[in-house]
Amino acid sequence: MTLEVEARRAGRVLSLEYVLAGPVERVRWPQAAARARTDELWRTTCFEAFVRTADGYVEYNLSPSGAWAAYRFDGYREGMRALEIAPPFIVTRMAPGRFVLTVDVELPEDATDAVGLTAVVERLDGGLDGAIAYWALAHPSDKPDFHHPDSFALELT
């Protein structure tokens, strides 16, 4: 499978389009849910974005189910709390061999242009390297760690 992400920033809005291509019928897709803030979405298939701020970073969890979460951190995995934003509206499309998730998220005022784009993809068949694949622009350590400061590998213009 391949994952491509298009990211654009316009003021305080980050627009994201994730495209997963390949045998998407082998992915464990979460069931449709209320478009509500929900914790622990990363435990199954979920698309994520991390954005550096002036004094830490924010994390967005965007589930194909329609559920979402947003958190602010003071530092590396420190000071986690809910980020108060307007609820994002997640749109998904699926066709043979292709899944697309599109969303606009509200950025905090102190957001910088450093972004980490990631995904957790759970497979039904387990795959050669386990049931869950961790996708990121950069994996700066031995194990997947989307919070690692060096994983914020994209600079938006």
Side-chain angles (χ1 to χ4, degrees), residues 4 9-10 20 24 32 36 38 49 59 64 72 75 99 102 106 112 115 118 124 127 143 148 150-151:
E4 294 181 7
R9 180 177 178 175
L20 187 64
V24 297
T38 306
E59 172 186 356
R72 180 180 273 277
F99 172 83
T102 305
E106 180 183 337
T112 70
V115 177
T118 66
L124 292 169
K143 297 178 182 176
H148 192 288
D150 293 340
S151 69

Side-chain angles (χ1 to χ4, degrees), residues 8-154:
R8 281 181 302 241
R9 180 177 178 175
R12 291 190 51 206
V13 175
L14 178 62
S15 298
L16 301 166
E17 182 171 86
Y18 295 82
V19 179
L20 187 64
V24 297
E25 66 281 353
R26 295 185 191 156
V27 171
R28 183 178 306 279
W29 298 106
Q31 291 191 359
R35 295 186 185 273
R37 183 184 294 268
T38 306
D39 291 326
E40 299 188 358
L41 294 170
W42 51 268
R43 292 192 178 273
T44 188
T45 302
C46 180
F47 299 87
E48 302 179 348
F50 293 76
V51 180
R52 190 167 289 133
T53 61
D55 59 354
Y57 61 97
V58 296
E59 172 186 356
Y60 300 93
N61 298 161
L62 309 160
S63 175
S65 71
W68 62 277
Y71 308 98
R72 180 180 273 277
F73 291 82
D74 296 329
Y76 177 71
R77 296 185 180 271
E78 295 178 354
M80 179 179 156
R81 60 196 175 279
L83 175 66
E84 297 305 322
I85 61 168
F89 187 74
I90 298 168
V91 176
T92 62
R93 300 181 303 283
M94 191 175 307
R98 185 176 171 90
F99 172 83
V100 180
L101 181 143
T102 305
V103 65
D104 291 341
V105 294
E106 180 183 337
L107 294 168
E109 289 182 20
D110 64 340
T112 70
D113 289 332
V115 177
L117 299 172
T118 66
V120 176
V121 178
E122 185 176 7
R123 294 182 295 253
L124 292 169
D125 60 6
L128 294 175
D129 52 348
I132 297 181
Y134 300 93
W135 301 70
L137 293 175
H139 283 293
S141 57
D142 300 11
K143 297 178 182 176
D145 183 358
F146 300 158
H147 294 255
H148 192 288
D150 293 340
S151 69
F152 295 70
L154 176 65

